[in-house]
Amino acid sequence: MSRMKSFLGLPDANDKVLHLAKIMTVLGPLSNFTFVLSTTFYVIFVAEALGGGPGMYLQGMGLVGTLVVVQMVIQIALDYPTGAIGDWIGQRWIITSAGICYALSFIMLSTVTTATPFYYLVVIYVLSGLAQSQQSGAFGAWFDNNYRVAMPGDRDRKQYGVFLGRMGMMMQIVATASLIPGSILAVIISRAWVFQLQAVLAIVLAIMSFVIVRDFPEVEAQREKRPNMSEYFGILKGGVSFLFKYPFVRYIIIGSMVATSSIMVWGNLILFPMYYMYVMS
């Protein structure tokens, strides 16, 4: 047990905190494995379907860009509302819903062919954006709310920060490693089969989240004191005002937004298509 505490960066953790940490160390890497499995060929698959067939992905990249924009708009528009709803009803419902939306998007994607109408792909990307808006920060919010109750002695949040750092490391390792089996399975079996596997894993993740992601009684009691939706929008308005009031905060937030957007565009529209062109050459 002491080795586990040391590995997780939680030397003073009690049983409640270890319970939370174990759930995070299982569901976090599993979610990364599930959703990153097809990353190396996801965009190429869609682009070839829109372009007219195998090898014709360049003809479809313009439409893929439109789909990515749709996905990002849905995610940005629903990120805050889904977070507020999670505070009201509990994050496990939001995490479970995200898994179901991912599963639907993957199972629909596995049926895509060159004859698939464009609006069908729009629905897929809308579902994906909805899933990402729900998953974004949901695990972290659940862990943070319950950690505050289970570990009141960690006032400076040092152990909390160490644990999140190590969790992030493990999740990135799993995400990177999952690219290899995903690509191999796509070559040996098919890309559509990998999407179907992701749909099954997403359902498994949703069921596991619904069963084991639970709030402590103290957290559930605090939920009754949560702000209503109008108060949430008041908080949002205050946050935006704070953003433009202090230049340092404004530049940090804008810089983070530009960096995140650039990474999304790089990963979705440039990196793997460019890599695919290199391999084909």
Side-chain angles (χ1 to χ4, degrees), residues 5-6 30 41 50 64 79 93-94 96 106 116 121 176 182 204 206 211 217 219 223-224 227 230 241:
K5 290 181 179 180
S6 177
L30 177 60
F41 56 86
L50 292 171
V64 171
D79 206 323
W93 295 95
I94 298 299
T96 301
F106 284 128
T116 300
L121 285 161
T176 304
V204 171
V211 172
V219 176
R223 190 171 298 124
E224 299 177 359
S230 61
S241 300

Side-chain angles (χ1 to χ4, degrees), residues 28-265:
L30 177 60
S31 64
N32 268 26
F33 177 82
T34 299
F35 305 134
V36 178
L37 198 61
S38 61
T39 303
T40 54
F41 56 86
Y42 189 108
V43 175
I44 297 297
F45 178 84
V46 176
E48 287 184 341
L50 292 171
M56 303 180 67
Y57 58 92
L58 288 178
Q59 290 86 334
M61 285 303 296
L63 291 175
V64 171
T66 302
L67 292 172
V68 171
V69 170
V70 169
Q71 177 181 321
M72 292 177 65
V73 168
I74 294 296
Q75 180 179 353
I76 293 170
L78 298 180
D79 206 323
Y80 189 80
T82 54
I85 294 172
D87 286 339
W88 285 351
I89 64 177
Q91 297 296 339
R92 74 180 180 123
W93 295 95
I94 298 299
I95 297 170
T96 301
S97 176
I100 294 172
C101 289
Y102 270 122
L104 288 173
S105 69
F106 284 128
I107 201 68
M108 290 176 66
L109 185 62
S110 69
T111 65
V112 169
T113 64
T114 54
T116 300
F118 183 69
Y119 72 84
Y120 187 84
L121 285 161
V122 172
V123 173
I124 292 174
Y125 273 75
V126 167
L127 282 171
S128 182
L130 176 60
Q132 290 181 14
S133 70
Q134 294 176 94
Q135 187 196 27
S136 174
F139 279 115
W142 168 78
F143 181 80
D144 184 79
N145 291 338
N146 288 272
Y147 183 88
R148 292 172 183 272
V149 171
M151 195 81 164
D154 188 19
R155 296 181 179 178
D156 55 5
R157 313 274 282 181
K158 286 185 178 180
Q159 295 184 53
Y160 177 89
V162 172
F163 171 74
L164 290 186
R166 295 188 180 181
M167 266 298 302
M169 176 191 68
M170 287 189 292
M171 291 176 67
Q172 288 302 319
I173 291 173
V174 171
T176 304
S178 67
L179 297 175
I180 300 174
S183 302
I184 293 174
L185 289 171
V187 172
I188 295 177
I189 305 177
S190 70
R191 294 172 177 174
W193 188 89
V194 177
F195 295 137
Q196 292 168 3
L197 174 61
Q198 287 181 284
V200 173
L201 291 175
I203 289 295
V204 171
L205 180 64
I207 295 173
M208 290 178 62
S209 299
F210 186 77
V211 172
I212 66 177
V213 175
R214 301 275 182 168
D215 289 323
F216 293 133
E218 299 90 335
V219 176
E220 292 183 352
Q222 293 174 1
R223 190 171 298 124
E224 299 177 359
K225 304 175 184 178
R226 300 289 186 191
N228 56 39
M229 185 57 75
S230 61
E231 291 174 318
Y232 269 109
F233 281 110
I235 295 172
L236 176 61
K237 182 179 178 180
V240 173
S241 300
F242 178 80
L243 169 65
F244 287 98
K245 184 177 181 180
Y246 298 98
F248 176 78
V249 177
R250 180 169 66 249
Y251 295 142
I252 289 292
I253 297 298
I254 293 176
S256 300
M257 292 171 60
V258 171
T260 302
S261 301
S262 301
I263 291 171
M264 291 183 67
V265 172

